[in-house]
Amino acid sequence: MARKTGDVSIAVDPGYDRLGVAVFDGTTLVHSECYTPPKGDVPERLSAVFTRVTDLIKEFKPTSLAIEGLFFNKNQRTAIHVAEARGAITVAAMQRGVSVHEYSPQAVKIAVTGSGNAAKDGVIRMVDRLVTLPKRKRLDDEYDAIALGIAHTSHNAQLRPLHDK
């Protein structure tokens, strides 16, 4: 089991194909990953996402979960599946008594870089400066979750919880 020294939070960049996850103990990153559910149809993937988030909640015992708000792109099918993944993630948190907080992509960029229009590579460079990361390859989803966790732990007064216990 993970050592808990402060207020533990989980940040999740939602997806049904890849799920970025970052766990913070206070402002210290203690775990991050890009989880890829087993190949299968969408319900099977959503079930795997729900199970992985539930397992992380059991292991790290967070008090809060940060999730990125939906960003609508041109592919409506993908947006719908990401929305379904957000639902599975939110239910996993709520069933374990974890408060859920939503942040827009722009709010995360502002918290990490100071600009809501920052490019992806600018966010990644700032994450690398703000958090000590073990040297290994990371996908964008994992970096997005870490950036979301930074925004969440900064306690920006403008960002309100979706639900508090």
Side-chain angles (χ1 to χ4, degrees):
M1 181 187 331
R3 191 179 84 218
K4 182 175 174 182
T5 61
D7 185 31
V8 176
S9 61
I10 294 180
V12 180
D13 179 41
Y16 69 99
D17 199 30
R18 289 194 317 227
L19 187 74
V21 178
V23 180
F24 284 80
D25 188 344
T27 58
T28 303
L29 179 69
V30 295
H31 173 79
S32 69
E33 67 181 60
C34 183
Y35 172 70
T36 305
K39 295 295 180 197
D41 61 15
V42 174
E44 291 170 327
R45 289 178 180 210
L46 294 173
S47 178
V49 165
F50 176 87
T51 299
R52 181 67 189 137
V53 171
T54 299
D55 289 346
L56 288 165
I57 290 169
K58 288 177 184 175
E59 179 179 356
F60 291 100
K61 301 184 180 1
T63 57
S64 61
L65 181 139
I67 192 165
E68 192 168 83
L70 277 178
F71 173 76
F72 291 98
N73 58 17
K74 295 177 184 172
N75 188 337
Q76 290 181 349
R77 180 176 292 182
T78 298
I80 289 169
H81 293 324
V82 172
E84 291 171 329
R86 281 175 39 91
I89 294 161
T90 300
V91 170
M94 297 302 298
Q95 284 187 347
R96 305 293 297 181
V98 176
S99 66
V100 177
H101 305 252
E102 180 179 23
Y103 299 83
S104 72
Q106 292 76 23
V108 173
K109 290 177 181 181
I110 290 168
V112 174
T113 69
S115 171
N117 296 321
K120 175 82 68 182
D121 63 332
V123 173
I124 290 171
R125 280 195 308 273
M126 282 306 297
V127 165
D128 283 333
R129 289 181 181 165
L130 294 170
V131 178
T132 303
L133 298 172
K135 298 285 185 211
R136 66 173 170 82
K137 183 178 165 104
R138 287 178 177 75
L139 296 175
D140 289 352
D141 310 83
E142 186 175 350
Y143 273 110
D144 289 348
I146 296 167
L148 176 61
I150 292 168
H152 182 63
T153 60
S154 72
H155 299 294
N156 186 327
Q158 295 176 342
L159 305 175
R160 299 282 182 228
L162 285 177
H163 170 78
D164 255 326
K165 298 187 272 183

